[in-house]
Every structure is written in C-alpha cells, then in structure tokens.
Amino acid sequence: MELPKHPHHSLFIFVFGLVLVFPSALSWKDAVTHVHQFVIQEASVKRLCKTQHVMTVNGMYPGPTLEIKNGDTLSVKVINKGKYNVTIHWHGVRQMRTGWADGPEFVTQCPIRPGGSYTYRFTVRGQEGTLWWHAHSSWLRATVYGALLIQPREGTNFPFAKPDRQSTLLLGEWWNANPVDVVREATRTGAAPNISDAYTINGQPGDLYNCSTQVADTVVVPISSGETNLLRVVNSAMNQPLFFTIANHKFTVVGADASYVKPFTTSVLMLGPGQTTDVLISGDQPAGRYYMAARAYQSAQNAPFDNTTTTAILEYKSAACSSGNSSCSLTNPIMPRLPAFNDTPTVTAFSTSFRSRERALVPAQIDESLFFTVGLGLNNCPQCQGPNGTRFTASMNNVSFSLPSNFSLLQAHIQGIRGVFTSDFPAAPPRVFDYTGNVSRSLWQPATGTKLYRLKYGSRVQVVLQDTSIVTPENHPIHLHGYDFYIIAEGFGNYNPKTDSSKFNLVDPPLRNTAAVPVGGWAVIRFVADNPGVWLMHCHLDVHITWGLAMAFLVEDGVGKLEAIEPPPEDLPICS
C-alpha cells in the first residue's frame, strides 16, 4: 500500500483507526480509557528519491501520536499484518503491576506472530510530559514508532505558564535499505551494521540532502510572534545521540522523560536514543524562517557514523513569504551553528544542568549496591568481518545478554519454568580492572548468558554504570524498563566510591528512564524496587543491544495483591 501523505507535512499526526474514549473505573476523577487499534503493515515510503517497503503502524511513518492525560488508561490492540514478529514497547511508562504490557520481545512477552494480535492495556499515573512508543523486535523500530503525549491531570495545569501551542518533533534515522536486512547482514558477518543514510524530523530528512526539497521533504513548524510554544523533542533514532538546535532561538528546558525539571536555558539540546526533552521557545525573533537542525554527537573514536544534518523549519506566520504562499519565492531559512560532532564538554554542561523541580524522594539508605560495567567486546571468529578476524559483541559485567526463544522471561518466572534463565547476574564485575584505561585483551571476550539479578520488593537500589574503553569508550544511553530512577551523579574516568560519593545530589537529582553514561565515565542511579516483574536494562543504541549490552532485574512480589504483578492477559501471545 502507499503511505498516506500529510498535507503540508504538518507537524501533527492524526491517529488513523479506531479511537474511543469512555469513563474508566479509576479512582482519579475524570480519568478515561483511550482505545486504539494499531495495524502493523508494510507501506511504500519514498525518501532521498528511493522507495523502500517498510513496516508501519496504520500505514503511517512515523506512526500515530497518542495523547492522554495523567491518570488515563490506554488500550491498544496491535494486529500484525506484516511479515515479521513484532512487539510494541511503551517507552518510559512505569507499567505498575502491568509488566505483561511492557513489550520487549522474549522479556515480558513472546512476539506477536504474523496474523496474530495482542491488546496492550495499562494506566499512566504520576507521569506528565513526553514519552513514546516503538517496536521492540529486531530493528523494526526504525520505522515503527510514535509519540505518547501525557497532558496534566484533569483539573490541574502545567507548573509553568500554559503554552500557546504544542509541537512534537521525533528525531529518527533512515536507511536506503530494509533495516531488518541491515542488522541481519551484520549478524551474519560479525561486522558493524551499515550506518544510516539520513536523519529525519517527523519522518522527513529536510532539504540539505540530495533529492530532498523544502516543499516536499521538510517539516514546517508554525509559530506566531509573541507566543510561547512547547516543543516535545524525542530522540527515536536507532544508534545515534543527537544534538538539536534552532537558529537564533533559545530553549527553556522544562521537562525530560515525562518528569518536570527546574527550568534552565540553553541554545542546544543533546538527546541519547530513547530520551525526551520538553522545551519552551518564544516567538521573539524577527518574523521569518529559521532552520531547526539535528546532527550526531559521536563519542566513539574511529567508529564510522552518519555525519549528515537533518532540518525542519520554524516559520513565523507573519513572515513575508511562507510555505503556504505560492505567489512568492521562499528564501532559505537562517541556519544555526551546531556543536562539533565530538563536543563532549557541551554534552556535559547540558546533562549536568538537569534538576528535579521539587525536592526528590531519593533513597538515602541502600539495600542493594551494584556496580555494572557497560561496553563493547570482540570475540575471536576467523571467518568473521569484524576487526582482525573477530565478531563484535557487548556486555554488562562481562556477560553478553542472550534472549530466550521458547518462553519469555516473565512467563518463565511466573510459571516457574526451569532452564530459561539463571538469577546469578553479578553484582560487580568478575574482575576489577582499569575500566577506562588500557584494558587487557583477555577481557575483550565476554561470556554469554541469560542472567537476571533478583531484587526483593521494596529494596532500595543503587547502580553505578561504568563505561569501559574495551574497543572504544562511548556515551551509552542506558534505559531501564518499568522504572524511573534518579541520576544522583556522573563523572569521567573510573568511579571511586571514596571520593565520588561526595558528588551525590540527594536533594533534587533529575528523574529519568534513560541515563546517558558519559564517554569514558560513569553515572550513578537510585530507585526503589516497587514494581514486581522482569525488567530489562539495556543500551538504547540498538546495535549494542543486538550485541548483548543488556541485563534484566527480577523484582519479586511483595505482600498482598497490590504488591504483586497482575495475572497475564488471556490474549498474551504464546511462543511457537
């Protein structure tokens, strides 16, 4: 089928399919249940003068934007009419006691087979801002993704002046190839996958690419002089942290990962894949057209990357010549200055500016103190096409994570099925070494396993996430499913508990679901294990999770029904 075209490439994506709203049984006043239908199907998408047949939701690329209020329930029936297994992950949603709806393939469910269906049902409570949803099978999320906007709870307002307009910007990656074929070829050869051919904003590359124009291939974001707009920015790219900026405009950052933050001003954002940032911009510049631009932050030395720039256009409605006026010739928008690809100081200044808006409920005492190394590796493989006869791999604490194929981890846990996983993921690296120094080649080949770390319900957890220089140090966006966590400190080099604990912010650290671990450095997170189930923690660079940079927590049930995971839905897909 042909992909539906959006008039003028409008920023807003209208939801196709069934959408119903009716009162919910929730105790929160005026909360509602939103019912949607996602049909996974192939569509023809033309970008950069080449047509690709890609997987989509409801024929849309990107997929539909879902908008709810804090306290509402979502019920989304996913019907798989495509040729691949698929699951949908609701990135950043806490999924309190509803782990069966989390979505990662073979972790909380078996995949939805071609011809099958599954309904994800969950309540979003205590979260406001911007999240998103995406496929969590193979590399389908390259084109199967969309925004999840959570407005303030009924009867409440933003903790800042209500914006005049809200706009959503999904930063993505585009291949002139089938992304599933790209990762399959890399898996076959052991080499790194081919880099993308373009970045996109709301599915469009912008006019800086060959065979791409302002009129047909560039998103236009409207603004009026004097108004304040809320921009919801999502990095939905597969493998690349991205800088984002707008010519001659400042951002006031007000939220991240569906949590409010103390407002701060910046001229540039950096988002790792999976992260979201909410910013206010003011229409305080001369009426005209201004480029919004995103390009790579590349922290891994000597690694190939897509060095192109994607653009959209911020257009004042009172501009002398606008995109809706065919009687005049459009002038080129003003181009912003973007940081250098390897500008880590700008990244650090940005990431360390985040603070929770209110005093944070950070665990002061710790029951589980964990130390996880995160990084790459190389397995000997003479016939492979990795460096010097090797195959790329990745690991946490020297364990390269391997997903099961006959059962999901959550199913095996609840049903007591033996032989699917073990509960001996190490609390610390098997060997202590100079993590960011010159690492012995004997540590470059991790063990492979399906190892989980068991947590008692209510335990207070601290995790040090330590980058390593094995193969190359790199900024790793580490995402934890089923939880938000406080990032209480970050730094460079090897984490030192004797000196670096003095840097802990236990007053107002930011609450996130994805932490950008600094290149050649570390980050410390804390959370309370109050959500029973099996929860994946992984690098959100999809090439790295493909190589095994992941682990999972098994959080035990507490006391009584309200501290236990709900029973599995009747339509939960079975593995076959």
Side-chain angles (χ1 to χ4, degrees):
M1 65 172 290
E2 289 294 327
L3 184 76
K5 294 182 179 179
H6 306 296
H8 311 299
H9 296 291
S10 165
L11 187 69
F12 299 102
I13 305 170
F14 293 92
V15 179
F16 286 14
L18 178 66
V19 181
L20 301 176
V21 178
F22 51 85
S24 167
L26 294 173
S27 58
W28 284 31
K29 182 183 177 183
D30 299 320
V32 298
T33 294
H34 303 255
V35 179
H36 298 268
Q37 182 170 283
F38 280 10
V39 178
I40 308 296
Q41 59 193 118
E42 189 173 273
S44 298
V45 182
K46 187 175 183 179
R47 297 290 185 272
L48 311 180
C49 280
K50 295 184 179 180
T51 299
Q52 301 296 328
H53 301 287
V54 301
M55 302 313 298
T56 66
V57 168
N58 299 344
M60 300 170 62
Y61 166 67
T65 292
L66 304 184
E67 185 168 349
I68 64 173
K69 292 182 178 179
N70 178 6
D72 287 353
T73 294
L74 271 168
S75 178
V76 183
K77 183 175 183 178
V78 177
I79 302 170
N80 187 2
K81 292 186 177 181
K83 59 184 178 181
Y84 304 109
N85 294 339
V86 71
T87 64
I88 299 294
H89 170 52
W90 312 92
H91 186 109
V93 174
R94 283 294 317 270
Q95 298 288 2
M96 295 299 293
R97 302 179 53 237
T98 54
W100 304 105
D102 188 43
E105 185 178 66
F106 293 114
V107 178
T108 60
Q109 68 169 99
C110 294
I112 307 168
R113 308 286 180 181
S117 66
Y118 178 48
T119 299
Y120 295 88
R121 184 179 175 88
F122 53 90
T123 298
V124 177
R125 185 175 295 170
Q127 296 179 284
E128 294 181 6
T130 306
L131 296 176
W132 63 301
W133 57 266
H134 60 80
H136 214 295
S137 304
S138 183
W139 274 23
L140 292 180
R141 83 166 179 87
T143 55
V144 178
Y145 65 91
L148 173 56
L149 313 182
I150 311 169
Q151 302 290 355
R153 177 181 167 185
E154 190 68 31
T156 66
N157 299 307
F158 294 107
F160 44 83
K162 184 178 179 180
D164 299 293
R165 189 192 308 267
Q166 299 184 41
S167 304
T168 303
L169 300 172
L170 293 157
L171 312 180
E173 275 183 280
W174 176 260
W175 277 262
N176 285 329
N178 180 344
V180 174
D181 292 342
V182 172
V183 68
R184 285 179 174 176
E185 175 67 9
T187 301
R188 184 186 69 83
T189 65
N194 291 339
I195 61 173
S196 56
D197 294 286
Y199 300 113
T200 59
I201 298 176
N202 289 356
Q204 294 292 344
D207 65 329
L208 300 187
Y209 293 90
N210 291 332
C211 203
S212 196
T213 68
Q214 280 189 30
V215 175
D217 308 288
T218 306
V219 167
V220 175
V221 181
I223 192 170
S224 295
S225 294
E227 74 178 10
T228 298
N229 289 6
L230 175 63
L231 294 183
R232 302 171 178 271
V233 187
V234 182
N235 186 347
S236 39
M238 293 291 287
N239 295 312
Q240 193 64 57
L242 294 169
F243 290 115
F244 176 77
T245 189
I246 304 177
N248 294 3
H249 288 74
K250 295 280 190 180
F251 301 117
T252 299
V253 179
V254 293
D257 292 358
S259 292
Y260 295 119
V261 301
K262 284 186 173 71
F264 67 93
T265 302
T266 180
S267 60
V268 64
L269 312 179
M270 197 293 287
L271 297 88
Q275 293 185 317
T276 74
T277 306
D278 292 350
V279 299
L280 298 174
I281 61 168
S282 296
D284 57 3
Q285 295 300 304
R289 307 171 80 233
Y290 300 82
Y291 271 129
M292 319 170 90
R295 75 175 185 187
Y297 164 52
Q298 179 64 9
S299 60
Q301 294 184 2
N302 302 318
F305 70 100
D306 180 348
N307 64 0
T308 63
T309 301
T310 181
T311 54
I313 298 172
L314 181 69
E315 183 177 84
Y316 282 72
K317 289 187 172 183
S318 55
C321 187
S322 63
S323 56
N325 186 351
S326 59
S327 63
C328 61
S329 297
L330 293 173
T331 58
N332 282 331
I334 299 171
M335 189 69 189
R337 294 183 62 183
L338 282 153
F341 294 115
N342 62 350
D343 190 349
T344 295
T346 289
V347 174
T348 303
F350 177 69
S351 64
T352 54
S353 295
F354 285 87
R355 298 284 187 273
S356 286
R357 191 174 182 96
E358 309 294 341
R359 184 177 180 89
L361 300 175
V362 188
Q365 304 299 318
I366 297 300
D367 304 305
E368 297 275 1
S369 183
L370 309 176
F371 188 103
F372 293 174
T373 56
V374 296
L376 307 183
L378 294 172
N379 285 333
N380 291 331
C381 180
Q383 74 275 18
C384 291
Q385 297 176 23
N388 301 314
T390 60
R391 170 181 291 276
F392 277 104
T393 185
S395 68
M396 299 179 76
N397 276 357
N398 205 46
V399 178
S400 186
F401 192 72
S402 176
L403 286 170
S405 58
N406 295 325
F407 303 94
S408 73
L409 297 174
L410 183 56
Q411 178 187 7
H413 163 53
I414 295 299
Q415 297 181 3
I417 302 171
R418 296 181 179 274
V420 178
F421 66 84
T422 59
S423 301
D424 58 347
F425 185 85
R431 283 178 55 184
V432 176
F433 60 98
D434 181 4
Y435 307 112
T436 55
N438 187 13
V439 181
S440 167
R441 291 297 291 253
S442 65
L443 297 176
W444 286 38
Q445 296 191 66
T448 298
T450 310
K451 297 177 182 288
L452 278 57
Y453 192 89
R454 189 178 293 269
L455 293 172
K456 291 187 179 299
Y457 182 91
S459 57
R460 298 159 295 185
V461 184
Q462 175 176 293
V463 185
V464 176
L465 298 166
Q466 172 71 62
D467 185 30
T468 76
S469 58
I470 298 175
V471 182
T472 180
E474 188 166 2
N475 184 292
H476 293 279
I478 302 298
H479 173 51
L480 176 58
H481 289 231
Y483 285 88
D484 288 327
F485 49 74
Y486 291 106
I487 304 177
I488 62 172
E490 64 175 65
F492 291 97
N494 298 338
Y495 173 76
N496 185 329
K498 294 182 179 178
T499 57
D500 290 329
S501 58
S502 65
K503 303 173 184 176
F504 287 179
N505 175 7
L506 302 181
V507 178
D508 59 355
L511 188 65
R512 304 298 298 260
N513 62 57
T514 305
V517 178
V519 53
W522 50 268
V524 183
I525 67 172
R526 286 188 181 183
F527 63 95
V528 176
D530 59 357
N531 193 12
V534 176
W535 304 106
L536 190 65
M537 174 183 270
H538 65 93
C539 181
H540 220 279
L541 304 179
D542 271 41
V543 60
H544 290 177
I545 189 174
T546 301
W547 290 340
L549 211 167
M551 57 82 63
F553 289 107
L554 192 164
V555 180
E556 299 173 348
D557 285 348
V559 177
K561 181 179 178 180
L562 296 181
E563 294 183 359
I565 190 170
E566 293 180 357
E570 291 184 0
D571 64 339
L572 185 72
I574 60 172
C575 290
S576 58

